[in-house]
Amino acid sequence: GEDVEQSLFLSVREGDSSVINCTYTDSSSTYLYWYKQEPGAGLQLLTYIFSNMDMKQDQRLTVLLNKKDKHLSLRIADTQTGDSAIYFCAESKVDSGGYQKVTFGTGTKLQVIP
Amino acid sequence: ETGVTQSPTHLIKTRGQQVTLRCSSQSGHNTVSWYQQALGQGPQFIFQYYREEENGRGNFPPRFSGLQFPNYSSELNVNALELDDSALYLCATGNRTTFSYGYTFGSGTRLTVV
């Protein structure tokens, strides 16, 4: 079955890099995602990576995928106080019924210290 | 503003009652998924609708049901509410051909069952 695990909490100083890690179990996952959730809000898609890629960079965000170890990471360069939020890792695959099944991790709370 | 609107934003219901939550999305978003997010947890998949038919379901009992309408709006209905149904309910919409690139989430409805 599908399972996605993340560490619960990360604290970094403003200006440093943050690295949020995630492990997943389903080797048939096709896409992996990082979402951001601010207090009282829904989830905002930050970035995604296709399972045959190793890395994707988008401005301050770098996603690394180690498919062999089923490990996904999100690096945020020059972390700002506005980056404080909960970050969710998610994996998806197309189920036998033809729908895209997405499984989310439990989220990592990022605290940025000024 | 994501273009996906959920209503109401907050709701308090009594155990045993029924509730209807609503989601309206952008034109062309023919796919909608509903998620339940308990406090401190990641979103759990309830079901997905495509072209007004349910085409995928998570581990939720039949008292969780849904509808999708031709105008890209949808509903989540929950009968016989239980205390454990207290959660943030999120809808996520997209077009089936680009869904793999990530969902657009609404801000959610916070349901409290007392």
Side-chain angles (χ1 to χ4, degrees):
Chain A
E2 306 87 9
D3 193 22
V4 180
E5 295 190 358
Q6 302 176 236
S7 53
L8 291 180
F9 189 76
L10 176 66
S11 181
V12 299
R13 293 208 171 273
E14 188 175 19
D16 288 350
S17 292
S18 308
V19 180
I20 303 172
N21 294 300
C22 167
T23 56
Y24 60 98
T25 56
D26 193 341
S27 58
S28 64
S29 297
T30 51
Y31 286 88
L32 296 119
Y33 309 89
W34 284 103
Y35 283 86
K36 176 183 180 182
Q37 187 176 37
E38 297 185 70
L43 276 68
Q44 173 196 351
L45 176 68
L46 290 177
T47 188
Y48 67 91
I49 188 168
F50 190 50
S51 58
N52 68 354
M53 296 170 63
D54 298 323
M55 187 183 87
K56 182 177 181 180
Q57 189 155 0
D58 184 1
Q59 299 182 335
R60 292 192 296 125
L61 305 179
T62 303
V63 178
L64 294 178
L65 175 60
N66 182 328
K67 195 171 182 182
K68 173 177 169 289
D69 293 339
K70 300 190 189 71
H71 182 266
L72 183 74
S73 68
L74 173 70
R75 178 177 181 270
I76 305 173
D78 186 26
T79 313
Q80 302 298 306
T81 54
D83 295 324
S84 293
I86 300 176
Y87 290 80
F88 290 95
C89 165
E91 60 168 357
S92 79
K93 66 175 184 178
V94 178
D95 195 84
S96 56
Y99 79 95
Q100 188 200 37
K101 183 174 182 180
V102 179
T103 303
F104 286 84
T106 52
T108 299
K109 185 172 184 177
L110 174 65
Q111 179 188 51
V112 182
I113 304 166
Chain B
E1 181 61 47
T2 64
V4 178
T5 305
Q6 291 189 243
S7 61
T9 54
H10 295 82
L11 197 55
I12 300 175
K13 287 285 191 179
T14 304
R15 189 171 50 182
Q17 285 188 312
Q18 179 266 344
V19 69
T20 298
L21 309 181
R22 294 181 173 82
C23 171
S24 64
S25 66
Q26 303 166 224
S27 176
H29 280 202
N30 54 22
T31 305
V32 60
S33 295
W34 283 90
Y35 288 83
Q36 180 195 66
Q37 186 180 18
L39 202 60
Q41 301 295 316
Q44 298 293 313
F45 175 71
I46 303 174
F47 44 57
Q48 182 178 102
Y49 278 76
Y50 170 63
R51 289 187 175 176
E52 301 162 49
E53 290 193 5
E54 183 182 300
N55 74 334
R57 190 175 187 93
N59 190 26
F60 280 80
R63 60 189 184 83
F64 286 78
S65 63
L67 286 171
Q68 185 186 28
F69 303 102
N71 66 352
Y72 306 111
S73 66
S74 64
E75 289 180 355
L76 164 65
N77 298 289
V78 187
N79 293 322
L81 284 166
E82 301 176 359
L83 297 180
D84 285 349
D85 296 333
S86 295
L88 180 69
Y89 289 85
L90 297 161
C91 74
T93 73
N95 186 284
R96 186 160 184 147
T97 56
T98 58
F99 219 28
S100 294
Y101 306 146
Y103 301 81
T104 301
F105 277 84
S107 298
T109 294
R110 173 74 64 188
L111 173 65
T112 302
V113 182
V114 296

